[in-house]
Amino acid sequence: MTMQARSTVREIVTRSYRQYTPTNGRAPEGPEYGVDGWLFTLPGETLNGLRFPQRTYAAYQVTRNAELVWMVREVGGERRQVGSHSATRKGVLALAVGVVAQEREETAAAAETAAPATRDQGTCAHGAARRMAAGGGERTQVAATLDERLARMRAGQLSALPTVAEIRMAYPLAGGGATLRLMTAEGSTAERHMIPLTERGAAGRENDPAGIYLDTITDGANTEGLKIAAEWHLMRLGFNCARGAAWAPYSGSASSEAQWKEWAPMLPEGHRWPHTVRVAITATAEHLAYIDRAYGPAPELPDLPAGVSAHRSGPRSWQICYANRRFWQLSCRPRMGGDVWTLYADPARTKSLARAASPGELLATIPARDAEAQARAAARKGY
């Protein structure tokens, strides 16, 4: 049974802070820290056999987008930012504590899950310690388990790809409509793979392939119009009919067929058969490439403009810094038809500034955004 890690950091109620100033000798080194602020330490702990050392953090105020906000950074470590962008010191410390605890719990849980079930807890702990020592410590262990998890998720996605498409009519056929279902070989269907074929979607949404939803074409029956509509949806989802395959009538259970036989005399001519058709489908090359991007290594950033630096803050996100004084978040979302890159104004990625098809387009705007922010700040000071 996999143990659920629970960081003792979450249980901390009171913390000791040491105020620092440029003259009292306690200020962390480096110009990226504020003029004054507070130092606080989060204790070390062992979770699922992994040892997490004690860490010291600095909380300080900086001007960001013409307003003072609190930020937190690890002192003497490589982590660039934790739990930042809060209006109060208390708030930013709470964010930092939560982030650190969550990172520890996820790392410990991943290590426990990755260990073979036949090994006991003590062996797992010693094995994890040996892997950390051999691989360069905690960061190498996190990277290894993340790669393993992504590989398992990719294999799961590939094994769960639908292999059959089905158009099923509802009773009565004249007004009951039709639904497209994409199913795996075992017959399971995800919610996103159940699509009404005889209903229009919300206004303005891309859901109407050249008007083939019109009643004069579908007429509630399993006509060629419905098959065209179904194949349009298959294309959008990244599937094609298998080579040489064609839609063919499908008979369900004996009880279902008996029910349809009773309904047939009450239905209009041309609506009695077939009530269900199926065809074999395969994923397109674009769909498979999307899965590779979604569960593979993170993409590489292009050459950065002068004065801009980037540090990984997640599987597909980076903290962007300009001149060591202003920060943004850059993220990549894999998507069918082209990935989406987004630039955010805050670490929590709640305030989107711009989107583009490539990171270079967004990174090129960083110097201008910094200059604009400085100009706004200067205007406020002058006022």
Side-chain angles (χ1 to χ4, degrees):
M1 181 178 66
T2 302
M3 295 181 60
Q4 296 296 320
R6 177 68 179 180
S7 174
T8 58
V9 172
R10 293 187 185 275
E11 309 302 328
I12 295 177
V13 178
T14 59
R15 309 172 187 84
S16 59
Y17 311 109
R18 295 177 296 161
Q19 187 171 13
Y20 69 80
T21 68
T23 59
N24 67 5
R26 293 175 176 173
E29 296 180 358
E32 68 270 22
Y33 295 97
V35 175
D36 60 356
W38 283 263
L39 297 177
F40 65 101
T41 300
L42 298 183
E45 59 186 334
T46 300
L47 299 174
N48 289 356
L50 291 181
R51 179 61 189 171
F52 297 91
Q54 175 177 290
R55 299 290 188 185
T56 299
Y57 298 85
Y60 55 94
Q61 278 188 309
V62 296
T63 301
R64 182 172 184 175
N65 296 330
E67 64 175 334
L68 280 175
V69 296
W70 282 93
M71 305 181 78
V72 167
R73 291 198 187 175
E74 183 178 309
V75 176
E78 294 186 3
R79 182 183 287 110
R80 301 292 298 175
Q81 189 170 329
V82 160
S84 64
H85 201 263
S86 176
T88 65
R89 175 168 63 100
K90 183 177 180 181
V92 78
L93 295 180
L95 285 172
V97 169
V99 169
V100 171
Q102 183 176 359
E103 287 179 352
R104 291 181 177 184
E105 291 168 8
E106 289 179 351
T107 302
E112 181 71 14
T113 303
T118 54
R119 297 168 62 189
D120 60 29
Q121 181 180 349
T123 304
C124 290
H126 290 300
R130 286 195 300 270
R131 288 193 299 272
M132 287 176 62
E138 176 184 342
R139 187 164 55 256
T140 302
Q141 174 67 15
V142 173
T145 55
L146 177 60
D147 291 342
E148 293 168 2
R149 291 170 61 188
L150 287 173
R152 288 196 298 269
M153 292 169 67
R154 178 181 180 277
Q157 288 289 320
L158 292 174
S159 64
L161 284 174
T163 58
V164 175
E166 173 187 275
I167 301 175
R168 177 178 296 182
M169 308 302 297
Y171 177 81
L173 293 183
T179 301
L180 170 67
R181 293 202 310 159
L182 277 61
M183 300 178 293
T184 64
E186 291 76 22
S188 61
T189 301
E191 183 178 355
R192 68 181 183 278
H193 290 155
M194 296 185 65
I195 305 166
L197 293 178
T198 53
E199 299 176 9
R200 291 184 181 274
R205 184 181 301 169
E206 184 188 4
N207 60 0
D208 187 357
I212 62 178
Y213 286 99
L214 296 177
D215 292 339
T216 55
I217 295 179
T218 61
D219 201 25
N222 215 333
T223 63
E224 290 302 314
L226 286 181
K227 296 173 186 176
I228 295 173
E231 290 172 8
W232 183 82
H233 282 289
L234 288 174
M235 177 187 66
R236 289 187 63 201
L237 294 170
F239 294 92
N240 284 327
C241 295
R243 185 181 298 274
W247 294 96
Y250 174 78
S251 298
S253 64
S255 59
S256 175
E257 292 303 310
Q259 182 66 73
W260 279 103
K261 187 175 181 180
E262 291 182 12
W263 288 339
M266 298 179 285
L267 301 177
E269 191 67 30
H271 294 241
R272 300 176 183 178
W273 183 263
H275 56 76
T276 303
V277 293
R278 285 187 174 183
V279 67
I281 59 175
T282 58
T284 62
E286 182 185 14
H287 193 136
L288 297 177
Y290 155 73
I291 293 177
D292 288 340
R293 296 196 308 275
Y295 301 100
E300 296 293 333
L301 296 182
D303 293 338
L304 302 174
V308 176
S309 61
H311 304 273
R312 287 282 297 275
S313 57
R316 281 174 178 77
S317 62
W318 295 260
Q319 183 191 70
I320 307 300
C321 176
Y322 184 74
N324 236 357
R325 64 170 174 258
R326 188 164 283 107
F327 300 88
W328 296 265
Q329 282 288 330
L330 178 68
S331 72
C332 175
R333 180 170 65 89
R335 194 183 67 171
M336 289 275 293
D339 299 345
V340 176
W341 291 81
T342 306
L343 185 67
Y344 296 91
D346 59 320
R349 292 181 290 178
T350 60
K351 185 179 180 181
S352 172
L353 296 176
R355 290 185 174 88
S358 66
E361 298 178 47
L362 300 176
L363 292 171
T365 68
I366 293 299
R369 293 180 185 278
D370 177 74
E372 182 181 351
Q374 289 194 75
R376 289 197 304 266
R380 286 187 173 88
K381 289 181 180 179
Y383 178 78

